[in-house]
Amino acid sequence: MLDSIINAFLEFKWFMLLNVGLTIAAGVILWFATEQFGYQRKNRYLFAFFMGMKNREILWTGFAWTQMVFVLSCVILGGEMNLVYLVFLLLLVPARFLLYQDIRRLPVDLVNAVLLYLALLVGSVMRDYLKTIRFDSLILLVLILLTLSVLHYTIYNFVKDMLFVTEERSRIHEKRVEE
């Protein structure tokens, strides 16, 4: 039992390293981008996004970042897809639901998690086919297009989640102004 748990964590070692590396890189980029704040500069929008975030907004952003980096690590680094990857993607769904408790988002998040897993699984099968069975340029082209589609879909979902945080904050701000 303990061995299977340790093996599951070891499968995520590259994801964890990539997550830490990309988070540090994004932090440094954001730090330089907001180092000199000015109302006349474009960095005020970036600065305003992070200013005054509540804990649940920070967690929501963290979950969106984690899902994006996880899918990027699966696409870029490859690896054999198994049930642990699906479980990880599905664990993010109830965590996100508990943050905003919007029942309308639950089925969408479940479908997104399953679709991402299936796309990653198909990509993994195609990579294995190209390595072990036969190299075919048409299959390579389909794999490249699938990879680009998964990357595009993941980045779209991340931006959509950031817009959701922005909309929630502006809705709360509008309520305060009305009162």
Side-chain angles (χ1 to χ4, degrees):
M1 174 71 177
L2 184 61
D3 289 340
S4 61
I5 293 172
I6 291 172
N7 286 336
F9 276 114
L10 287 177
E11 285 189 36
F12 291 108
K13 66 182 175 207
W14 294 113
F15 158 67
M16 290 185 268
L17 290 172
L18 187 65
N19 196 1
V20 168
L22 285 178
T23 302
I24 290 171
V28 168
I29 291 169
L30 289 173
W31 181 61
F32 281 119
T34 60
E35 184 178 21
Q36 294 179 347
F37 175 73
Y39 286 106
Q40 302 302 323
R41 295 186 178 169
K42 290 182 179 182
N43 70 349
R44 70 179 183 269
Y45 299 114
L46 185 64
F47 192 81
F49 177 77
F50 292 104
M51 190 171 173
M53 285 183 104
K54 302 221 179 335
N55 288 338
R56 51 191 248 180
E57 293 164 348
I58 292 170
L59 284 173
W60 184 272
T61 305
F63 286 143
W65 176 262
T66 301
Q67 183 175 4
M68 183 181 72
V69 172
F70 177 72
V71 173
L72 288 176
S73 70
C74 291
V75 167
I76 293 169
L77 302 174
E80 184 147 342
M81 297 301 294
N82 56 28
L83 202 56
V84 176
Y85 290 89
L86 177 64
V87 170
F88 181 77
L89 286 172
L90 290 177
L91 281 176
L92 292 173
V93 173
R96 293 163 54 109
F97 173 72
L98 290 174
L99 285 176
Y100 277 100
Q101 299 167 351
D102 186 5
I103 196 70
R104 294 172 296 169
R105 291 188 63 89
L106 189 62
V108 173
D109 285 344
L110 280 171
V111 168
N112 279 339
V114 171
L115 284 177
L116 278 173
Y117 174 74
L118 290 175
L120 293 172
L121 182 65
V122 168
S124 175
V125 168
M126 291 173 82
R127 273 191 307 274
D128 287 344
Y129 178 83
L130 288 172
K131 287 179 190 173
T132 58
I133 308 280
R134 179 175 154 237
F135 183 82
D136 188 8
S137 58
L138 186 60
I139 292 177
L140 179 64
L141 177 66
V142 171
L143 177 63
I144 291 170
L145 292 176
L146 176 69
T147 302
L148 291 175
S149 298
V150 168
L151 290 175
H152 183 262
Y153 185 68
T154 303
I155 292 170
Y156 165 76
N157 280 333
F158 178 73
V159 171
K160 187 179 71 162
D161 286 340
M162 296 305 99
L163 289 175
F164 178 73
V165 169
T166 305
E167 290 170 1
E168 286 294 313
R169 291 175 73 185
S170 61
R171 188 174 18 244
I172 291 170
H173 180 69
E174 288 174 2
K175 285 182 184 178
R176 287 183 190 159
V177 170
E178 289 175 0
E179 294 174 353

